[in-house]
Amino acid sequence: MEIRDVPCPFCGCLCDDISVRLDDNRILGVENCCTLGNAKFLSKGRLQHPIMRKNGKWVEVSYEEAIDETARILSDAVRPLLYGWSGTVGEAQVVGVHLGEEIGALIDSTTSVCHNPSILAIQEVGHPGCTLGQVKNRADLVIYWGCNPIEAHPRHMSRYTTYADGYFIDNTVTDRKVIVVDIRRSEGAKVADEFIQIKPGGDYLVLSALRAMVRGRDDVVPDSVAGVKKEQLQRVASLMQKAKFGAVFFGLGITMSRGKYKNVRNAIELVSELNRKTKFTISAMRGHFNVYGFNEVLTWMAGYPFAVDFSRGIAFYNPGETTVIDLLERKEPDACLVIASDPGAHFPKSTIEHMAAIPTVQIDPCVNATTALCQVQIPVAITGIEAAGTAYRMDGVPIRMKKIIETNFPTDQEILERIVTRIREMKRDG
Amino acid sequence: MNVTITFRNRTNPFIPIEAEMITPDAFLQDKEILVGEGNRTVPLEALADLVIEGDGFSIEEVDILIRGDSSRVKRVGEYMNGGTITIEGDIGMHCGNFMSGGRIEILGSAEGWLGREMQGGEILCHGDAGDYCASGYRGGRRGMRGGSVEVIGSVGDFACEHISGGEVLIHGNTGDYACAEMKGGTVTILGDSSRVCANMSAGTCYVYGSAEEMIPTFEKKGIVDHDGLLFHHFMGDVANRGRGHLYVARYTYLQ
C-alpha cells in the first residue's frame, strides 16, 4: 500500500509530497524524502513503557503511575519550566499552554535557542516576508545568509529556489541568481553565483554597509568591512537593486552569532530599504517541523510567541529573563517538563547540570540525551507518522500532518490532557 | 519615615522574588506589601524582616533601606516617583523600571534592565550593571526618556538601547551595542565600548576610551576638543539616515 502526499515531520520545509510504502502497518520505504526525513520515517528503536528512577535505577511503570508522579512534581514546584514543543502539533501545544497557566509555569520552546532573535527583530521593525510559493515562482535573486540549506534543509533549493521551476521564471538555472553569505565556504556556497565570506561576527557591519550603499552613500564605507572588499559589496548592492524579486533566507549564522537580533533587524532594514527600489522579501529558515506552530499557538493564547512566564497569573515575556537558557543558567526552575525536543543534546553543560539536579520529566517516543537527565520518561506516538494534527511551515502556512500507522501509544495531546486533569484533581483534593 | 527591609536567607535562594510594591509611595500609603516568590504570592514579611520607624507626610520623607541578599529581588522601585531607596548589596533585574522621581542608590551591583524606560529621578550604582542598563523593552521604540543613571563599574551588552532622553554616565566599559537605536539623550562612557551607537538616529554619545569595531556607516566630521581632550567626531548612523553625534577618543574597524 502506498500513501501519497504525506508531510514530512522533520524540518520547517514540511515537504508535503512524500510517498510512503506500507505493509502490515510497517513502513517499507519512503520516496521524495531527503536523508534527514528518510531517517525519521524509517527510524527503529523506541521506548516501550514509561520509566521512572527508583532508588537510582530505571524501572518500568504504568502510564497512570508516571502521570501521577509528573502531576505531583509539577504541582509541588514553585518555579516550574515547560520546555520543547516544536516537534509536536498545535493541538498538543494548546494543552501545554493551558498546563502552564494552570500551574503558574514558565513555558518556552526551541525557538529560544534558534530564531528567538528573529522574532525580537520582527517585533522591532516588522517582517517583509512572503510564502515559499512566491519565492519559487517569482524570485530571480535568492540570498542565503548564515544558513546552509544543502545540509540543514536539503530540499529547500530543489523545491523553492535554485533548482525549482518557477511560473514566472523561464529558465531557473540561468535566470535565477544565488548569493551565499557565510563565514566559511559551505556546500551551499559551491553552487552560488556570488559568495561573500565574512569574518565571524561581522554580519551586522556588512549589512550596515550594504544599507548605506543601497541609499547611495558608498562614500562613508571603508575599503574593507569584516573581511569583505568594498568592491564586492558594491557589486552585490547593485545585483540586489537590479533584481525584479529578491528573497533573503537567513539562519542561525546570524541569529546566534554576535549581535543576534541586531543582525536580523539590520537584515530586515536592508530589505525594507531595497523595497524602495524593487521587490524584496526576507524569511527565516526555521528548524523543527512545527517550531513556527508553537509561536502561533502561544501568541493566540498568551499574546507572545515564546518564553512566557505565567508565575504571576498573567503572561509576562522578556527574552533574556524568561528564556530557557537564561533561566536554567540562573538555576531558577525547581521542576522541568520536556516535550518534543532534546535539550540534553544541545544545551550548554551548566544548564543541563541544573536539569539533572531538579525533578525533570520527559515526554518523548525515544530514549535520547535528555533521558539521562530525567526522573520520569513517558513514551508517546510519533507525531506526523502515528498521530495527526496541525503544523506550520517555515513561512507560516499551516499543513495537516497525517497519521499513516496505527499505534497503541498515546499521543502527546492525550498525555498532556491526563496530566492537566490529574493536577486539577490534586488541587481539588488539597 | 525610615523603612528597613532585611531579606532573610532562603532554602532555595535561586527562586526570583518580584517586588514591584517596594516603593516609597506604597509605604507612605501604608499598603500591605505583597511579593511574588516564583508562582506564590506572599507578604513581604514572609521573606524579610520589616522595620518601619517614624511617620511620613510626603513622599520625600520616605527612605527605604534594603539589606540582606537582594540579588534575586526584581522590580524594586518600579514606577517610583519620589523618596529614596538604598540597597546595601546587589539588586535583581528591573530596578527602577519606569521611575519618574526620587533616588535609588545601589552599593553593590545591579542585574539587567536597570532603569528600564525611566522618565525621571536618579540612579547611582556603585558596582557593575548587567545587560540593557537604561534601555527599553522588547519591541519598544523608546528606552530611557529622562532622569540620570550613573554606574561606577562596567555595564553589559545593549546599554542605553533605544534611549531617547536623560543622561547616562558609565565609568567603566560597556559590552556590545551600547546606544543601539539611540534617539536622544546624552551617554558618556569613560572606558571602552564596542559597536557603539549602531543604527542611531539622534542624541549624543562620548567614548573616552576605545570604540572597538566601529559601525562602518558613520560619517567622519573631524577632530574636536571636548573636556580638554581631543575626540573624533562622527555623525550617523548613515545606514539609518541618522543625525546623531558620536565622539570617540580612539576607534578601530573590523576590516
Side-chain angles (χ1 to χ4, degrees):
Chain A
M1 177 175 134
E2 184 178 64
I3 303 178
R4 293 186 174 183
D5 299 333
V6 178
C8 169
F10 191 84
C11 82
C13 283
L14 270 181
C15 299
D16 53 356
D17 60 346
I18 310 298
S19 291
V20 182
R21 279 183 294 114
L22 293 168
D23 183 43
D24 194 21
N25 206 36
R26 248 175 9 105
I27 296 176
L28 297 182
V30 184
E31 284 177 21
N32 290 342
C33 226
C34 69
T35 315
L36 303 173
N38 213 50
K40 183 156 185 182
F41 275 108
L42 297 173
S43 64
K44 292 186 173 63
R46 68 191 301 168
L47 187 59
Q48 297 294 337
H49 305 277
I51 52 173
M52 194 187 294
R53 282 187 206 270
K54 291 185 178 176
N55 301 319
K57 289 185 178 170
W58 284 114
V59 293
E60 288 181 7
V61 297
S62 66
Y63 274 95
E64 191 175 3
E65 185 177 353
I67 286 166
D68 259 15
E69 179 65 3
T70 303
R72 186 195 61 74
I73 287 169
L74 295 177
S75 295
D76 289 350
V78 175
R79 189 73 169 143
L81 167 66
L82 311 178
Y83 175 74
W85 308 106
S86 300
T88 191
V89 286
E91 291 79 353
Q93 293 164 347
V94 166
V95 184
V97 180
H98 283 308
L99 172 63
E101 200 167 359
E102 182 76 34
I103 60 174
L106 194 144
I107 186 164
D108 197 9
S109 82
T110 60
T111 301
S112 211
V113 289
C114 61
H115 279 281
N116 150 358
S118 313
I119 291 173
L120 294 184
I122 289 167
Q123 286 169 338
E124 288 193 359
V125 287
H127 181 202
C130 69
T131 63
L132 290 167
Q134 288 286 330
V135 175
K136 173 181 181 288
N137 288 315
R138 296 177 187 278
D140 60 346
L141 178 65
V142 176
I143 301 173
Y144 286 108
W145 197 307
C147 56
N148 182 8
I150 287 183
E151 281 165 318
H153 299 83
R155 296 189 70 211
H156 195 271
M157 284 179 148
S158 60
R159 271 172 69 80
Y160 304 117
T161 65
T162 320
Y163 306 115
D165 288 333
Y167 192 83
F168 299 105
I169 305 283
D170 288 336
N171 184 334
T172 190
V173 177
T174 56
D175 295 355
R176 213 188 306 255
K177 295 267 179 281
V178 176
I179 299 174
V180 168
V181 188
D182 213 327
I183 58 166
R184 64 179 70 85
R185 189 172 284 277
S186 63
E187 285 299 309
K190 292 175 187 167
V191 300
D193 297 285
E194 180 93 33
F195 172 54
I196 305 175
Q197 187 160 12
I198 292 182
K199 283 185 181 174
D203 301 82
Y204 186 94
L205 309 172
V206 171
L207 285 160
S208 289
L210 286 171
R211 281 175 68 196
M213 286 174 171
V214 172
R215 283 198 56 216
R217 291 301 307 271
D218 306 42
D219 58 303
V220 298
V221 177
D223 292 340
S224 170
V225 179
V228 187
K229 292 259 183 295
K230 185 173 182 177
E231 292 74 25
Q232 186 180 23
L233 290 173
Q234 285 170 319
R235 193 165 64 242
V236 168
S238 169
L239 270 176
M240 287 173 164
Q241 291 172 86
K242 285 178 185 161
K244 290 181 187 155
F245 188 118
V248 180
F249 292 98
F250 63 95
L252 304 199
I254 66 169
T255 69
M256 283 296 154
S257 61
R258 193 171 167 199
K260 297 203 166 188
Y261 66 107
K262 291 298 173 202
N263 297 335
V264 183
R265 176 181 172 139
N266 220 0
I268 292 173
E269 291 197 286
L270 170 62
V271 166
S272 298
E273 192 69 47
L274 284 162
N275 271 307
R276 289 168 173 260
K277 311 204 170 187
T278 180
K279 172 70 182 171
F280 244 84
T281 67
I282 183 166
S283 307
M285 297 285 275
R286 304 303 300 268
H288 285 72
F289 77 87
N290 197 25
V291 61
Y292 196 110
F294 183 76
N295 303 146
E296 291 283 318
V297 166
L298 194 57
T299 303
W300 305 331
M301 297 179 70
Y304 303 103
F306 64 102
V308 166
D309 185 355
F310 284 115
S311 65
R312 302 296 299 278
I314 53 152
F316 176 68
Y317 162 81
N318 188 25
E321 180 181 4
T322 59
T323 26
V324 63
I325 296 293
D326 305 276
L327 206 75
L328 288 166
E329 188 64 36
R330 293 194 302 269
K331 301 184 191 302
E332 285 186 25
D334 56 350
C336 181
L337 173 73
V338 176
I339 180 168
S341 71
D342 186 10
H346 305 108
F347 277 16
K349 181 169 175 276
S350 57
T351 61
I352 60 174
E353 278 174 353
H354 185 65
M355 287 177 73
I358 59 175
T360 295
V361 177
Q362 177 169 233
I363 299 172
D364 199 280
C366 302
V367 171
N368 57 23
T370 304
T371 306
L373 315 173
C374 292
Q375 299 297 311
V376 182
Q377 180 164 347
I378 304 173
V380 282
I382 300 170
T383 304
I385 299 175
E386 299 169 337
T390 309
Y392 282 74
R393 203 167 65 182
M394 62 166 70
D395 55 349
V397 172
I399 288 176
R400 183 75 182 167
M401 306 303 290
K402 288 185 178 171
K403 174 181 179 173
I404 55 172
I405 285 186
E406 293 300 325
T407 182
N408 291 325
F409 284 97
T411 63
D412 291 321
Q413 184 183 351
E414 287 163 357
I415 291 296
L416 289 164
E417 283 171 345
R418 287 174 67 180
I419 291 169
V420 172
T421 302
R422 190 72 193 101
I423 285 172
R424 286 178 179 157
E425 287 170 359
M426 285 175 171
K427 276 188 180 174
R428 191 188 60 218
D429 298 341
Chain B
M1 177 190 285
N2 291 312
V3 178
T4 304
I5 302 166
T6 308
F7 283 95
R8 295 189 289 271
N9 291 336
R10 294 183 293 155
T11 313
N12 184 347
F14 301 116
I15 303 287
I17 297 169
E18 294 209 13
E20 70 278 9
M21 288 192 74
I22 299 183
T23 61
D25 191 47
F27 284 96
L28 183 68
Q29 294 184 44
D30 198 25
K31 288 183 178 172
E32 182 189 14
I33 309 293
L34 299 172
V35 297
E37 187 187 29
N39 56 13
R40 318 297 205 246
T41 300
V42 297
L44 177 61
E45 289 93 324
L47 302 172
D49 296 324
L50 183 61
V51 177
I52 300 175
E53 297 170 308
D55 292 322
F57 300 98
S58 77
I59 191 90
E60 305 309 332
E61 293 174 277
V62 182
D63 300 310
I64 299 174
L65 175 64
I66 297 177
R67 321 180 96 163
D69 181 5
S70 53
S71 61
R72 294 291 175 121
V73 183
K74 299 180 187 178
R75 298 169 64 184
V76 166
E78 184 168 287
Y79 287 109
M80 174 172 169
N81 55 4
T84 71
I85 298 178
T86 305
I87 297 142
E88 280 196 347
D90 299 337
I91 193 69
M93 295 176 190
H94 300 286
C95 180
N97 270 0
F98 317 111
M99 72 185 282
S100 56
R103 186 171 197 272
I104 296 177
E105 184 170 3
I106 303 153
L107 302 185
S109 293
E111 260 277 16
W113 288 278
L114 173 68
R116 176 191 127 193
E117 294 174 84
M118 71 185 284
Q119 298 176 20
E122 295 171 50
I123 294 179
L124 171 61
C125 176
H126 289 267
D128 299 327
D131 297 335
Y132 295 99
C133 173
S135 71
Y137 178 61
R138 301 302 184 184
R141 299 291 169 101
R142 294 172 72 203
M144 178 176 172
R145 294 153 204 205
S148 71
V149 173
E150 182 174 358
V151 178
I152 306 296
S154 293
V155 300
D157 294 334
F158 305 108
C160 309
E161 184 192 36
H162 295 290
I163 186 170
S164 58
E167 292 190 11
V168 177
L169 172 59
I170 297 158
H171 290 252
N173 305 319
T174 75
D176 263 354
Y177 293 96
C179 305
E181 332 295 344
M182 185 173 190
K183 296 172 179 68
T186 304
V187 177
T188 304
I189 301 161
L190 298 185
D192 300 333
S193 187
S194 77
R195 303 193 175 189
V196 65
C197 291
N199 223 32
M200 82 187 295
S201 50
T204 306
C205 176
Y206 297 93
V207 181
Y208 280 62
S210 179
E212 306 288 341
E213 298 194 8
M214 272 276 295
I215 304 299
T217 45
F218 275 76
E219 188 169 9
K220 291 174 189 170
K221 304 301 282 188
I223 307 280
V224 297
D225 187 313
H226 170 73
D227 213 9
L229 298 167
L230 295 179
F231 284 80
H232 300 274
H233 178 205
F234 291 89
M235 279 189 78
D237 185 342
V238 170
N240 196 34
R241 296 174 172 76
R243 304 280 301 162
H245 296 274
L246 171 60
Y247 300 89
V248 301
R250 301 184 302 281
Y251 67 96
T252 62
Y253 287 120
L254 178 65
Q255 289 190 317

